[in-house]
Amino acid sequence: MQLKPINQQVVAIVGASSGIGREAALRFAQRGAKVMVAARSESGLQSLVEEIQRFGGEATYIIADVSDFEQVKAIADKTVAQYGRLDTWVHAAATGVLAPFEKITPEEFQRVIDVTLMGQVHGAMAALPHLKKEGRGALIHISSMEGRRSLPLQSPYSAAKHGVEGFLEALRVELQHEKLPISVTSIKPAVINTPYYNKVRTKLGVKPTGIPPYYQPNVVVDAILYTAEHPTRDFIVGDVGRILDVLQRVSPELVDSILAVVGIPGQHTNEPKSEEGPDNLFAPTIPEYDRIKGDFDHLVIPTVSDWLEMNPPVKWGAIAVAAVGIAALLGAWRPGNDV
């Protein structure tokens, strides 16, 4: 399966007013792609398009609530009407409620599912007819490591991300069966320093935080740009995410025990925030959060394994060298010998 170079692509980015989606739009446009951006925040979209146009990029925006399929379909339709086709669909829109399960109302839980799961379903449904017409393309869905391992205090978000993983696996196989050259990618970030924790609803009595450490949004966007040109099934972003993935596969009970100790206190800051504080659960967020980064620069660390994933020859070479080294050590060891 071969995807177009980014500078020849038309890209729709959903959830583009802030965070990962906003940086992705800027980076695609800088690389020469024509970009359609969508979100609920018109002020965020306007400032984004103006920023892209200032450096000579091509971008248009459309306001949409992803819980409504017709509004999502309008994103795809407007992209094709404006630019003639659709090559890549990037879906980053999400919301959440951080609270103990028993404090979350059915309406709040349903809203998270409607946006964070059904929004992604609507995106794939809206984009697929256009990708099929084009004869190739990429669906890039921003999932989460919470699609592999749920976290306490985030039951609706974790449920939604598990649902994203389920429907993408089914869709991927159906497209393979039809022999359609459409790449379906699930990008699973670890904790990312976006305004997400400023915007979600909280019932913790304080502003919430992800469980540190954090990674900057640009590392997720690196993965998005890579998978827009290189068909990829799954891409975990962040070394900690890959460690968590291994631990969850080896011993879910061990991860349960770790999270029982650090998972709940680790998601509390010392900054008070009431349940009535502003959030983006049912309405667009306030304009001050129409930005890429959140408030946790001091908790950010670098990641190494992402670069290896985007450079397979180096990755497999490193694995081969490590395997040879281990084999040599085992070959040199004999019972009773010190090595």
Side-chain angles (χ1 to χ4, degrees), residues 108-335:
E108 290 168 336
F109 204 109
Q110 184 65 57
R111 177 61 178 172
V112 176
I113 297 297
D114 288 344
V115 172
T116 308
L117 169 56
M118 291 308 301
Q120 300 243 20
V121 172
H122 294 160
M125 287 179 172
L128 263 177
H130 299 290
L131 298 179
K132 287 183 175 182
K133 184 176 180 180
E134 186 62 19
R136 59 177 167 172
L139 290 168
I140 301 175
H141 291 260
I142 311 306
S143 181
S144 169
M145 278 308 298
E146 290 189 54
R148 288 273 176 90
R149 170 69 221 195
S150 297
L151 295 181
L153 305 180
Q154 297 201 46
S155 55
Y157 185 86
S158 292
K161 293 301 187 180
H162 273 72
V164 169
E165 294 301 316
F167 103 81
L168 289 181
E169 285 187 350
L171 173 60
R172 187 181 293 114
V173 174
E174 290 174 16
L175 293 174
Q176 288 178 356
H177 177 73
E178 296 179 57
K179 295 182 171 53
L180 291 172
I182 296 172
S183 174
V184 178
T185 298
S186 169
I187 293 183
K188 301 174 180 63
V191 180
I192 307 299
N193 182 32
T194 72
Y196 175 81
Y197 295 101
N198 300 90
K199 298 190 295 184
V200 293
R201 181 163 294 185
T202 176
K203 298 185 179 183
L204 305 180
V206 295
K207 174 183 167 183
T209 173
I211 302 171
Y214 280 76
Y215 298 97
Q216 294 291 23
N218 68 287
V219 300
V220 186
V221 177
D222 289 343
I224 293 170
L225 292 170
Y226 175 80
T227 58
E229 292 184 318
H230 303 85
T232 304
R233 188 184 194 280
D234 299 286
F235 198 112
I236 294 174
V237 177
D239 298 335
V240 172
R242 292 185 175 87
I243 293 169
L244 176 60
D245 183 50
V246 171
L247 289 176
Q248 178 68 13
R249 292 173 188 272
V250 171
S251 178
E253 294 82 3
L254 173 61
V255 183
D256 289 346
S257 298
I258 293 170
L259 289 175
V261 175
V262 305
I264 292 176
Q267 296 183 81
H268 289 67
T269 68
N270 296 321
E271 181 181 333
K273 183 176 181 180
S274 73
E275 294 183 22
E276 290 72 37
D279 62 63
N280 75 343
L281 187 60
F282 290 100
T285 189
I286 54 181
E288 71 178 273
Y289 299 132
D290 292 331
R291 51 186 165 90
I292 293 170
K293 290 186 180 181
D295 300 335
F296 300 100
D297 276 341
H298 60 293
L299 298 175
V300 167
I301 63 171
T303 179
V304 175
S305 56
D306 297 51
W307 183 85
L308 289 173
E309 289 297 317
M310 290 183 278
N311 292 271
V314 178
K315 171 188 172 182
W316 293 113
I319 291 173
V321 169
V324 169
I326 292 170
L329 285 172
L330 292 174
W333 182 82
R334 295 289 185 275

